[in-house]
Amino acid sequence: MYIDTSKQCYIGLDFSRHTIFNFIKMAFSRKFREHNRERKEAKVKGGKGGDKFQNGGTLVLTAGGHDVLLRWKQDRLDDHVPVETLLKTLDIENAVPEEAVAAQREMEQTVCKI
């Protein structure tokens, strides 16, 4: 993992930031409130650090970093790369048990759809 504190790579990759208005709109959504209630009931603490408005993405490179295999840009705060996409990009088959993939699909349909 590479951490770019000056955000030069972030800017160069054309990643973006949310506005305060997007964040407020999301915070008042029904899905967000449901997720927050479930998180509190499960006693899961949220991360307090970092730039709350920053969107990111996933970049998968070949060995040596010369070719980009996957460039995925986060559009919403709840976006993430599906496990299947990462495995296909890396040409990995049957590496994750079907139960784990099913659990991720369930999470995407409930928790992540804020």
Side-chain angles (χ1 to χ4, degrees):
M1 178 180 288
Y2 173 72
I3 299 175
D4 179 17
T5 56
S6 66
K7 297 187 182 183
Q8 292 305 306
C9 291
Y10 178 83
I11 294 165
L13 290 168
D14 194 31
F15 289 155
S16 60
R17 296 185 78 230
H18 282 290
T19 65
I20 186 71
F21 301 111
N22 294 31
F23 193 77
I24 291 171
K25 181 180 174 183
M26 182 217 44
F28 284 104
S29 72
R30 182 177 58 84
K31 297 267 185 180
F32 179 82
R33 289 192 315 267
E34 288 174 8
H35 168 66
N36 204 33
R37 180 186 51 77
E38 291 171 6
R39 179 189 59 79
K40 285 180 181 178
E41 286 174 1
K43 298 182 180 169
V44 174
K45 295 182 180 183
K48 304 281 189 221
D51 183 344
K52 307 272 188 286
F53 300 106
Q54 179 176 317
N55 269 357
T58 301
L59 194 62
V60 178
L61 307 171
T62 58
H66 298 290
D67 296 314
V68 176
L69 298 175
L70 174 68
R71 184 181 189 278
W72 182 86
K73 188 174 171 182
Q74 183 183 22
D75 291 322
R76 299 182 324 263
L77 290 169
D78 59 340
D79 278 346
H80 61 279
V81 178
V83 171
E84 294 96 338
T85 302
L86 287 171
L87 294 175
K88 185 177 178 181
T89 299
L90 298 170
D91 199 27
I92 299 172
E93 294 183 30
N94 302 320
V96 176
E98 182 55 38
E99 297 84 28
V101 174
Q104 181 184 4
R105 285 188 190 120
E106 181 180 343
M107 179 188 68
E108 289 171 352
Q109 293 172 356
T110 57
V111 177
C112 291
K113 299 296 180 190
I114 297 175

